[in-house]
């Protein structure tokens, strides 16, 4: 189960605030800064975004999954326009609030593309709706809080009620005031979340690696199939957000200098004597891995299939700058299979060792 | 051996910019007191104290007491007050210095890591929020008490910047050259006197000539603009005099443009930065919404320079991407090594 699945199945609070679209993922900032100048307009923005996101993610999870990514992007804009336009027209007739040019621009909010591509494409209707509700809830809370603060500082009112403040900083009603408020809110959220989640760092970057559109372009450019080291680092970044500290048990044991010098000398002799190409390749791989082992051990991979997968995994395949979701799925399955093979191999090895030991003890006992 | 153990004296000179700047601000405060009385001193005091307290309190709250710099906070607060008219209410410089410290200084750490000049940020915020208060100057009447903006007795006078924006020229009946030299003109409290500002510029140049390169480029560009594209029809010399003596231009050239935090070590780059700031400033004066655009120009160019120059490397911190990559490689190598066993 990858990170995306984990995030979708986690609680509302976690997904709305730890992965807040505005303050953590940094999407949809401009619309908040431009529209949320008062609490009322912020509520309108929150409602529009929630409806829009739920509709878009629902349609994407039901229908749009089967379409190519580059078509889906255009469809998102269409869905946004279909949802936002009636809302704006109705609000202009019903409400006296000046909904300026920026509210219609919510139709092309970047939050839609990100969450549809991240969650709706990979999950069913239930998961997509969960993600849509959580994201739009977090978005709406931030928009309303920003609107209240800006309205209070800029106009001296809250929800249109006069607070009696004599000094009004009209600069806070401008977009730069919105960005300032969002900056301080992001800092506060990051600080508090670190306390709540035990120092775990929030994802403060807009991670486009999981959006498939870019990967389509990458495929078009590179036309390559395979898994690279960059890919593995991306998987690590997406799969395990918390930087994993290597435990002492996981670290490879270092061979003492004297022991390490002997195989090195042997390899030098082999090279001077003109070893074949396959041997050289294996030696290079081992030197990359930072592990020096005895030459007898090097030439015997545990299992042909697993060796093939491992060599692919280690970067022999052509490099791919941005990872597709399908490739990631292959990668994860490959990785799991490798681990299975390794565990099988280790168990067999232990069995062999035990057998050898028993045979030796039998021999010595016999002598 | 003892002599060797002693730390060698570094060849670098001690940074005296802030002390020199504070000394020069004191001279400007004397001028403000001379023309506007005790009210000017009170404005400066409130603003400086606000900046000082907020800097100390904010850094204490953020557990970053090392970043607290009382001298820089004093400089920021006093300068913001001196760039405002004497008729401004007491809360106006307090808000300006609060914004400068809270929004432009505290989030970025100490004074050596500031992407934006806090003084420019504070004045820009006040210009946007209270343009009428910031650009309404009282007439200079020696001995008379200055009326506060908004009070019935307050009568705003046209400053040189306002005259330039309306294409009006100075003359014998309006302002004489002596008025401009001595500072007896409606202007920000501390920057009215061309004579005093020239003396301060000369002093700051003599104290730190390398740092003044950007300021020189700034003034030169503004002068070229004033001569080539005069806004008054009375001549290029008058245009040059009016442009240089109006508003906060000379103050910006001395204190705002030459900042150490710019990460520009090459003198040519500093000169180009100063010239670009001057060009932007004059364009804002010519086509902008306000009669003065110095603080906006400084902030714009601060942002450009911050975006263009790479951040300073921090040795103690490793980038998360690199560490993750390394960890992944280590994990791969360990798995492979286990497999070969």
């Amino acid at each position: 189960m990858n990170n995306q699945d984990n995030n979708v199945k986690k609680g509302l609070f976690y997904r709305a605030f730890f992965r807040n679209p505005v303050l953590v993922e940094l999407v949809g900032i401009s619309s908040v800064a431009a529209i949320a100048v008062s609490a009322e307009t912020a509520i309108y923005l929150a409602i529009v975004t929630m409806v829009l996101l739920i509709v878009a993610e629902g349609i994407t999870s039901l229908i749009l999954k089967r379409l190519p990514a580059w078509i889906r992007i255009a469809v998102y804009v269409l869905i946004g326009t279909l949802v936002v336009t009636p809302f704006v027209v109705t609000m202009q007739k019903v409400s006296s609030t000046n909904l300026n040019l920026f509210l219609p621009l919510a139709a092309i909010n970047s939050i839609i593309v990100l969450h549809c591509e991240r969650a709706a494409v990979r999950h069913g209707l239930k998961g997509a709706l969960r993600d849509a509700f959580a994201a739009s809830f977090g978005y709406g809370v931030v928009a309303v809080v920003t609107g209240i603060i800006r309205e209070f500082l800029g106009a001296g009112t809250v929800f249109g009620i006069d607070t009696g403040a004599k000094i009004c900083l009209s600069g806070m009603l401008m977009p730069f005031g919105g960005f300032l408020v969002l900056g301080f809110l992001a800092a506060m959220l990051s600080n508090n979340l670190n306390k709540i989640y035990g120092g775990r760092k929030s994802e403060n970057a807009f991670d486009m690696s999981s959006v498939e559109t870019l990967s389509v372009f990458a495929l078009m450019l590179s036309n390559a199939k395979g898994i690279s080291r960059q890919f593995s680092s991306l998987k690590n970044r997406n799969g395990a957000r918390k930087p994993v500290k290597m435990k002492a048990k996981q670290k490879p044991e270092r061979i003492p200098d004297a022991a390490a010098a002997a195989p090195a000398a042997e390899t030098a002799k082999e090279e001077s004597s003109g070893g074949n190409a396959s041997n050289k390749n294996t030696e290079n791989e081992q030197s990359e891995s930072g592990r020096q082992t005895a030459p007898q051990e090097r030439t015997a991979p545990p299992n042909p299939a697993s060796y093939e997968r491992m060599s692919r995994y280690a970067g022999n395949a052509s490099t791919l700058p941005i990872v597709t979701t399908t490739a990631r799925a292959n990668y994860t399955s490959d990785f799991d299979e490798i681990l299975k093979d390794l565990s099988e191999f280790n168990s067999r090895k232990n069995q062999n060792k035990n057998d050898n030991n028993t045979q030796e003890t039998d021999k010595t006992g016999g002598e | 051996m003892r002599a060797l153990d002693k730390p060698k004296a570094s060849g670098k000179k001690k940074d005296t910019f802030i002390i020199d700047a504070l000394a020069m601000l004191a001279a400007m405060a004397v001028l403000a007191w001379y023309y506007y009385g005790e009210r000017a001193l009170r404005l400066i005091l409130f603003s400086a104290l606000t900046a000082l307290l907020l800097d100390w309190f904010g850094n204490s709250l953020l557990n970053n007491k090392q970043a607290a710099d009382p001298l820089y906070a004093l400089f920021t607060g006093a300068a913001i007050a001196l760039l405002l008219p004497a008729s401004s209410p007491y809360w106006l410089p307090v808000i300006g210095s609060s914004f400068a410290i809270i929004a432009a200084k505290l989030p970025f750490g100490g004074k050596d890591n500031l992407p934006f000049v806090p003084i420019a940020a504070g004045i820009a915020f006040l210009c946007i929020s209270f343009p009428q208060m910031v650009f309404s100057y009282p007439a200079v009447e020696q001995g008379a008490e200055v009326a506060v903006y908004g009070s019935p007795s307050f009568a705003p006078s046209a400053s040189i910047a306002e005259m330039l924006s309306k294409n009006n020229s100075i003359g014998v009946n309006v302002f004489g050259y002596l008025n401009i030299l001595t500072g007896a003109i409606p202007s920000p409290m501390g920057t009215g006197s061309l004579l005093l500002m020239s003396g301060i510029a000369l002093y700051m140049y003599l104290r730190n000539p390398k740092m003044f390169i950007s300021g020189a480029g700034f003034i030169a560009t503004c002068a070229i603009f004033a001569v080539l594209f005069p806004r008054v029809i009375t001549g290029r010399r008058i245009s040059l005099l009016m442009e240089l003596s109006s508003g906060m231009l000379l103050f910006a050239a001395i204190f705002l443009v030459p900042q150490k935090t710019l990460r520009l070590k090459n003198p040519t780059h500093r000169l180009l930065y100063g010239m670009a700031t001057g060009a932007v400033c004059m364009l804002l004066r010519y086509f902008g919404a306000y009669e003065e655009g110095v603080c906006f120009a400084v902030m714009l160019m601060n942002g450009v320079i911050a975006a263009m120059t790479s951040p300073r490397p921090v040795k103690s911190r490793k980038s998360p991407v690199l560490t993750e990559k390394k960890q992944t490689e280590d994990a791969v190598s360990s798995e492979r090594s286990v497999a070969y066993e």
Side-chain angles (χ1 to χ4, degrees):
Chain A
M1 187 180 289
N2 61 10
N3 190 41
Q4 305 298 329
D5 298 330
N6 285 331
N7 288 320
V8 166
K9 288 186 178 177
K10 277 181 181 173
L12 177 70
F13 180 82
Y14 177 88
R15 281 178 284 125
F17 294 101
F18 195 77
R19 292 172 62 84
N20 190 282
V22 185
L23 302 181
V24 179
E25 291 177 342
L26 307 179
V27 288
I29 301 176
S30 55
S31 56
V32 175
I35 300 166
V37 291
S38 68
E40 195 180 352
T41 53
I43 288 170
Y44 291 145
L45 175 67
I47 292 168
V48 166
T49 310
M50 183 171 276
V51 173
L52 185 56
L53 206 54
I54 287 171
V55 171
E57 286 211 38
I59 293 174
T60 306
S61 66
L62 288 174
I63 305 166
L64 300 183
K65 270 181 186 177
R66 295 157 197 171
L67 294 178
W70 62 274
I71 293 177
R72 282 205 298 267
I73 304 292
V75 179
Y76 297 147
V77 178
L78 274 176
I79 294 169
T81 314
L82 286 172
V83 172
V84 170
T85 309
F87 183 84
V88 171
V89 172
T90 313
M91 289 310 299
Q92 279 175 347
K93 286 183 179 175
V94 174
S95 173
S96 60
T97 310
N98 181 25
L99 299 171
N100 50 19
L101 175 70
F102 297 106
L103 191 57
L105 285 177
I108 49 166
N109 202 333
S110 51
I111 190 175
I112 302 165
V113 178
L114 181 73
H115 279 269
C116 286
E117 290 291 310
R118 256 190 188 175
V121 171
R122 299 178 185 186
H123 299 97
L125 182 63
K126 199 178 171 184
L129 291 180
R130 265 187 195 171
D131 181 78
F133 183 73
S136 55
F137 179 70
Y139 185 87
V141 168
V142 171
V144 172
V145 170
T146 309
I148 290 171
I149 293 171
R150 290 174 72 186
E151 189 183 351
F152 175 69
L153 292 175
T157 59
V158 175
F159 287 99
I161 302 162
D162 192 5
T163 57
K166 290 180 181 176
I167 301 166
C168 299
L169 309 172
S170 57
M172 297 306 290
L173 299 178
M174 292 185 176
F176 85 88
F179 285 115
L180 274 176
V181 173
L182 286 177
F184 281 106
L185 285 178
M188 283 170 62
L189 182 75
S190 174
N191 189 29
N192 289 321
L193 286 178
N194 285 339
K195 286 176 187 171
I196 294 168
Y197 289 97
R200 182 177 168 179
K201 287 179 182 176
S202 57
E203 299 162 33
N204 54 357
F206 181 75
D207 186 8
M208 282 295 291
S209 62
S210 52
V211 178
E212 212 168 320
T213 315
L214 287 180
S215 60
V216 171
F217 286 117
L219 274 176
M220 287 165 66
L221 289 171
S222 63
N223 194 17
K225 292 175 183 177
I227 301 163
S228 65
R229 285 190 178 189
Q230 195 175 1
F231 179 86
S232 64
S233 69
L234 274 172
K235 195 268 167 188
N236 193 314
R237 215 182 306 164
N238 294 323
R241 294 290 176 186
K242 189 178 177 181
V244 181
K245 289 184 180 178
M246 294 291 289
K247 291 178 184 176
K249 289 177 183 176
Q250 291 177 344
K251 286 183 179 177
E253 291 175 5
R254 296 268 179 192
I255 296 172
D257 292 337
E266 286 177 10
T267 51
K269 279 180 185 176
E270 282 177 10
E271 282 178 6
S272 62
S273 63
N276 57 9
S278 63
N279 284 338
K280 280 184 182 177
N281 287 334
T282 53
E283 283 165 13
N284 287 334
E285 285 174 6
Q286 284 162 1
S287 62
E288 277 180 6
S289 68
R291 168 87 173 164
Q292 290 191 347
T293 52
Q296 294 88 351
E297 291 173 356
R298 291 177 211 155
T299 52
N303 187 358
S306 99
Y307 178 74
E308 203 177 295
R309 278 194 289 269
M310 277 191 290
S311 62
R312 255 199 301 155
Y313 173 60
N316 287 348
S318 58
T319 55
L320 187 66
I322 299 167
V323 179
T324 62
T325 48
T326 51
R328 177 174 295 139
N330 292 336
Y331 165 76
T332 47
S333 61
D334 274 3
F335 191 74
D336 293 336
E337 286 176 13
I338 288 167
L339 289 177
K340 279 179 189 174
D341 291 335
L342 286 175
S343 60
E344 284 176 12
F345 174 72
N346 284 331
S347 59
R348 282 180 197 167
K349 189 187 161 190
N350 289 331
Q351 281 180 359
N352 291 332
K353 272 187 180 178
N354 291 331
D355 295 340
N356 290 332
N357 288 333
T358 51
Q359 284 175 4
E360 284 177 3
T361 49
D362 292 341
K363 281 180 184 177
T364 50
E367 284 172 359
Chain B
M1 284 299 286
R2 280 185 183 178
L4 287 173
D5 291 340
K6 284 181 182 176
K8 290 180 181 178
S10 60
K12 290 179 183 176
K13 287 181 182 178
K14 196 179 177 183
D15 181 20
T16 57
F17 177 80
I18 290 295
I19 297 167
D20 291 336
L22 279 171
M24 294 300 106
L25 288 190
M28 292 161 69
V30 169
L31 183 83
W33 168 75
Y34 178 74
Y35 283 119
Y36 303 107
E38 289 180 4
R39 181 180 172 74
L41 293 182
R42 267 183 250 134
L43 283 167
I44 296 165
L45 189 69
F46 287 155
S47 180
L49 280 177
T50 306
L52 197 65
L53 285 174
L54 277 175
D55 187 49
W56 176 80
F57 183 71
N59 282 309
S60 305
L61 201 69
L62 296 170
N63 291 326
N64 193 17
K65 286 185 180 176
Q66 291 177 343
D69 191 348
L71 288 180
Y72 195 82
L74 270 177
F75 168 64
T76 303
I80 284 173
L82 283 166
L83 291 175
L84 293 173
S87 59
S88 51
Y90 290 123
W91 52 261
L92 193 67
V94 169
I95 287 178
S97 50
S98 304
F99 184 85
I101 297 295
I102 292 171
K105 185 173 184 291
L106 285 177
F108 302 105
K111 67 172 182 179
D112 295 330
N113 298 314
L114 301 177
F116 300 103
V117 183
I119 301 167
I123 292 294
F125 183 70
L126 291 179
C127 287
I128 290 169
S129 296
F130 312 100
Q132 291 181 336
M133 285 187 197
V134 174
F135 296 121
S136 295
Y137 301 104
V140 179
E141 295 172 8
Q142 211 170 336
E145 194 170 329
V146 180
V148 185
Y149 177 86
S151 65
S153 56
F154 176 71
S157 299
S159 65
I160 294 180
E162 189 183 344
M163 290 168 71
L164 278 168
S165 66
K166 293 176 180 173
N167 299 329
N168 293 334
S169 175
I170 56 168
V172 180
N173 294 329
V174 186
F175 299 127
Y177 295 116
L178 194 63
N179 296 105
I180 293 176
L181 281 176
T182 56
I185 51 171
S187 65
M189 282 195 300
T191 64
S193 169
L194 185 62
L195 198 64
L196 179 69
M197 295 308 291
S198 305
I200 290 171
L202 185 65
Y203 175 80
M204 295 301 283
Y205 168 72
L206 292 174
R207 291 288 290 173
N208 201 341
K210 286 182 183 174
M211 208 168 157
F212 200 73
I213 290 172
S214 50
F218 176 80
I219 295 175
T221 310
C222 292
I224 290 167
F225 260 81
V227 170
L228 290 181
F229 311 106
R231 286 193 281 174
V232 290
I233 55 170
T234 47
R236 296 180 192 275
R237 284 183 191 173
I238 300 283
S239 168
L240 177 65
L241 181 68
M242 287 179 73
E243 293 284 1
L244 291 187
S245 60
S246 65
M248 317 162 189
L249 196 136
L250 279 177
F251 182 91
I254 299 164
F255 296 113
L256 303 187
V257 179
Q259 286 284 326
K260 271 203 166 182
T261 56
L262 283 173
R263 303 178 194 145
L264 294 176
K265 291 181 179 176
N266 192 330
T268 314
H269 294 171
R270 280 185 171 270
L271 183 69
L272 287 173
Y273 161 72
M275 291 170 71
T277 312
V280 174
C281 169
M282 293 307 284
L283 287 173
L284 285 173
R285 275 188 166 192
Y286 280 42
F287 305 108
Y290 305 117
E291 60 193 45
E292 184 57 277
V294 173
C295 46
F296 299 108
V298 170
M299 286 200 71
L300 270 172
M301 290 311 296
N302 283 167
V304 170
I305 296 297
M308 284 172 67
T309 53
S310 59
R312 292 176 182 178
V314 181
K315 287 181 181 176
S316 59
R317 290 180 184 177
K318 290 177 182 176
S319 68
V321 176
L322 283 176
T323 49
E324 282 173 11
K325 272 186 177 179
K326 197 181 175 186
Q327 282 170 1
T328 315
E329 286 175 6
D330 289 344
V332 170
S333 64
S334 64
E335 285 159 13
R336 294 185 67 200
S337 61
V338 170
Y340 284 119
E341 281 175 5

